[in-house]
Amino acid sequence: ALSFHHTGAARSIVYAEQIQSRPRGEVGSAKGSHFQRYQPRPRSKPRRGWIDDPETEEASQEIADDAWATQYWPVFSVLQVLLTSFLWLLFRITDGTDLCGLESVWPGQTDLMVQADCVDHRSELWRWFTYQFTHFGIMHIGMNCLLVLALGIPLEGFHGTHRIAIVFNLGVFGGACCYFVADVHTRVVGMSGGCYSLLGMHFADIMMNFSEKKFAGRKLIFLILMASVDIMTAVLMQNS
């Protein structure tokens, strides 16, 4: 048994030497078993916003600068703000009411609610997402649009339009879930749930990369300030 183990170890050493001596990608055989040295396939098209493993620190800095220089256009953030603000301003001018947006087009069909006048609306799943396009008052629409632009543009520039659109709408859906748990006897409008999903991404980025960021402390204070202002705005609107 001892000679068998020594023989197996010797064969392993011989196989390793044979593999190392062959050119990259060349296929050989030993004792009927085929082996091939690993050769990574080159990318046909580099992904924007992704950084490969650099060999030197200088190369790392050049790749990082190039990644920041070639960011994605903030298509979703700008379109979201333009659509919601256009709907609010249009019906604010024509109807003269504070509650304006998609709810002005289809009254009672797009805001988030569970029941009204003993009518069950729980099966109307579109309400979980359409309530984001209606706002109540200039402070509500203004603060939400400010949050989307300030928080969404830098995130979308790095992560891309599709990822931010998905995360934002997941935040809108999460806001609907919180409404189902907290208070089902009211009606909810606004895109604050999506704004808080962007805010959560920024908080996570700072917490995970605090030591690698230049102005992490200032950014953290700025995010806390924006969240505090939005919460105070919501409380004042509710009390009024």
Side-chain angles (χ1 to χ4, degrees):
L2 183 61
S3 60
F4 174 79
H5 287 297
H6 283 292
T7 304
R11 289 179 179 176
S12 300
I13 296 174
V14 172
Y15 295 163
E17 292 176 353
Q18 291 177 354
I19 292 175
Q20 293 177 359
S21 63
R22 291 184 179 273
R24 296 177 63 87
E26 182 179 346
V27 178
S29 62
K31 297 296 182 180
S33 61
H34 295 274
F35 59 87
Q36 182 178 8
R37 293 200 65 187
Y38 172 70
Q39 184 176 9
R41 181 179 300 177
R43 290 180 180 174
S44 58
K45 184 178 179 181
R47 297 187 62 180
R48 301 172 65 186
W50 287 77
I51 302 176
D52 293 331
D53 294 333
E55 296 180 357
T56 62
E57 185 176 352
E58 292 78 8
S60 175
Q61 185 61 38
E62 292 178 1
I63 294 174
D65 294 340
D66 181 69
W68 283 110
T70 57
Q71 291 190 355
Y72 295 93
W73 288 96
V75 178
F76 172 77
S77 300
V78 174
L79 289 181
Q80 180 75 13
V81 169
L82 289 178
L83 178 60
T84 53
S85 58
F86 172 76
L87 287 174
W88 189 86
L89 286 173
L90 176 63
F91 292 102
R92 179 68 176 86
I93 295 173
T94 56
D95 297 345
T97 59
D98 289 329
L99 183 65
C100 304
L102 200 61
E103 185 67 13
S104 302
V105 182
W106 294 288
Q109 300 296 321
T110 63
D111 59 345
L112 183 62
M113 62 178 176
V114 173
Q115 59 83 30
D117 298 330
C118 298
V119 179
D120 190 2
H121 297 282
R122 288 177 296 179
S123 60
E124 300 173 356
L125 304 183
W126 64 86
R127 295 179 181 271
W128 300 0
F129 297 95
T130 56
Y131 76 96
Q132 64 178 304
F133 299 108
T134 303
H135 290 80
F136 184 82
I138 186 65
M139 293 182 62
H140 191 200
I141 182 68
M143 192 63 194
N144 279 350
C145 289
L146 177 63
L147 287 174
V148 171
L149 293 176
L151 303 176
I153 289 179
L155 289 174
E156 188 174 354
F158 185 79
H159 294 286
T161 299
H162 296 90
R163 291 188 178 94
I164 296 304
I166 292 173
V167 170
F168 188 88
N169 283 277
L170 285 176
V172 173
F173 173 73
C177 293
C178 291
Y179 160 77
F180 296 145
V181 175
D183 189 4
V184 297
H185 300 290
T186 59
R187 304 172 73 171
V188 176
V189 293
M191 56 181 177
S192 297
C195 296
Y196 279 104
S197 68
L198 302 179
L199 191 66
M201 290 183 68
H202 278 281
F203 272 119
D205 179 44
I206 292 179
M207 296 304 176
M208 296 174 63
N209 307 294
F210 191 87
S211 59
E212 301 177 4
K213 292 184 174 294
K214 284 186 177 180
F215 307 104
R218 298 179 183 179
K219 184 177 179 181
L220 183 61
I221 294 174
F222 175 74
L223 293 176
I224 294 175
L225 180 62
M226 293 195 70
S228 302
V229 171
D230 186 68
I231 293 174
M232 291 177 60
T233 304
V235 171
L236 291 176
M237 289 179 55
Q238 187 176 6
N239 292 333
S240 61

